[in-house]
Amino acid sequence: MVSYYHRLSVAFSHLVWITGLLVLPMAAVYSFQISPINAQNARTYATDFLLEENPISEGGVWQHRGASWAMVRTFANRAVGSQTGSGGYDDGYAYLSGFGPNQKAQATLWKDPAIGNDSMTCRILRRLIWGRLRGNYCAGPGTHEVELLLRWADSATSARGYECNLSWDGKYAEIVRWNGPYGDFTYITQQRTFNDGIMPPNNGDIFKATISESTINVYLNKNDGMGDQLIVIGTDPTYTDGGPGMGFFIQGSVDPTQFGFASFKASSD
C-alpha cells in the first residue's frame, strides 16, 4: 500500500511538472512575442531579433531552403543579409509559414549613419584628381536594399513569391515577382518618383507591404504623424499561397550590415 507521504510527494512532482509546462511558453512569448513551437501554425508573428543567429531560426520558425541564395542573420537586435556583393541575384531571405493568402508584413528600418560614405581611398583620389580628369574613379556606395516578402515559398532549387523592396537612398522602390529559378524574376512595378518628404528612408522608419487578392500595396511610415504613406502599388494574380518574410540585397563593395531591420511583424486574415 502506498503511504500518504508518498502520494503527497508524487502529487507535488506532478504539480512542478505542470507548472514547468506553463512557464516555458510564457518565456517564449516574452522573447519572440509568440511561442516558436506554435508560430508555424499561427497567423501572427513578431520579433525584435533578440538572438544572434546565422542563419536566423528563432526556434525553427524561419525557413530557407534555396541553395542558390544567401541567408539572413541576426545580431545586435537587427536582421541583415549575408551576401558578399559579388554573387549576382543571391538575395538573402527567410520566411514564415502557416499564414493565409491576404498578408501584411512590416519592419522597422535599421540604417547606419555611415552608409554610402566613400572609402578613404576614394576621398584621396577625389581630392587629387577630381576635376582634372573625367570619369568616376570611385566604386561609389553600391546598392543596399531591404525587402518584404509576400506569399513566399521555396525548395532547394527554387524560390518564388513577391518581393517588395526599398533602396537605402530612396532612389527606387519596387514590386518584383520571383518566378522560381535563380535569376528569373519579373518587375511588376518600378517606382522612381515619390511625394516630397518621403524619401530617403531613415533609421526607425516603418516599411510595410500588404497583399489582398491580387493587389499589393507598399508603404513607408516616417513617424512624422502622417501615418502610412503609399509608395508603390501593383497587381499580379500569379501566386495565391505562401508565407510572409524578409530579404536583403547588396551589390558592390559594401557592408551588408549597414541597412537592415530592427524588428519584424507579419499577420494574415
Side-chain angles (χ1 to χ4, degrees):
M1 178 178 293
V2 179
S3 70
Y4 168 79
Y5 294 104
H6 179 74
R7 291 197 301 270
L8 184 61
S9 175
V10 171
F12 178 78
S13 298
H14 287 174
L15 178 61
V16 171
W17 179 75
I18 292 171
T19 303
L21 290 180
L22 293 175
V23 170
L24 286 176
M26 290 177 64
V29 170
Y30 176 79
S31 297
F32 301 107
Q33 301 177 39
I34 184 171
S35 169
I37 297 174
N38 298 322
Q40 293 188 13
N41 298 317
R43 293 178 179 268
T44 61
Y45 187 76
T47 177
D48 294 321
F49 309 120
L50 300 182
L51 302 179
E52 183 171 329
E53 297 183 306
N54 187 11
I56 186 174
S57 172
E58 294 186 337
V61 172
W62 292 95
Q63 301 185 39
H64 177 116
R65 301 183 183 89
S68 298
W69 297 273
M71 299 290 185
V72 172
R73 64 189 183 100
T74 57
F75 75 102
N77 299 105
R78 73 192 72 158
V80 297
S82 60
Q83 308 95 296
T84 64
S86 60
Y89 297 109
D90 63 339
D91 308 43
Y93 73 82
Y95 71 101
L96 307 166
S97 63
F99 286 74
N102 293 334
Q103 302 169 2
K104 177 174 71 175
Q106 73 174 57
T108 303
L109 297 180
W110 158 258
K111 186 176 178 181
D112 192 318
I115 191 171
N117 288 350
D118 291 327
S119 66
M120 182 59 68
T121 301
C122 180
R123 294 176 187 175
I124 294 172
L125 286 173
R126 177 184 288 113
R127 189 178 302 115
L128 293 175
I129 66 175
W130 209 264
R132 299 188 224 170
L133 301 175
R134 294 184 179 181
N136 186 353
Y137 295 91
C138 300
T143 299
H144 295 264
E145 187 178 284
V146 292
E147 304 165 354
L148 293 173
L149 310 179
L150 301 168
R151 296 182 183 171
W152 202 262
D154 71 347
S155 67
T157 59
S158 174
R160 61 84 166 165
Y162 298 107
E163 167 200 323
C164 304
N165 66 47
L166 177 63
S167 172
W168 72 276
D169 53 7
K171 288 184 178 180
Y172 65 86
E174 302 168 330
I175 300 174
V176 186
R177 185 183 71 234
W178 286 37
N179 299 315
Y182 175 82
D184 186 351
F185 55 87
T186 302
Y187 288 107
I188 297 172
T189 307
Q190 294 180 281
Q191 194 70 33
R192 297 292 187 271
T193 59
F194 306 93
N195 292 336
D196 291 342
I198 295 180
M199 297 299 178
N202 298 316
N203 186 55
D205 288 355
I206 307 299
F207 184 39
K208 180 185 295 185
T210 67
I211 186 167
S212 179
E213 303 300 334
S214 59
T215 300
I216 302 170
N217 291 326
V218 185
Y219 305 87
L220 190 62
N221 189 320
K222 306 290 291 182
N223 298 303
D224 57 1
M226 300 295 292
D228 296 335
Q229 300 186 64
L230 185 66
I231 56 173
V232 193
I233 186 169
T235 302
D236 188 271
T238 304
Y239 302 125
T240 58
D241 63 351
M246 58 182 166
F248 305 95
F249 175 72
I250 64 169
Q251 192 172 53
S253 300
V254 299
D255 182 353
T257 69
Q258 289 188 314
F259 196 39
F261 292 147
S263 69
F264 177 89
K265 297 180 181 179
S267 62
S268 64
D269 297 341

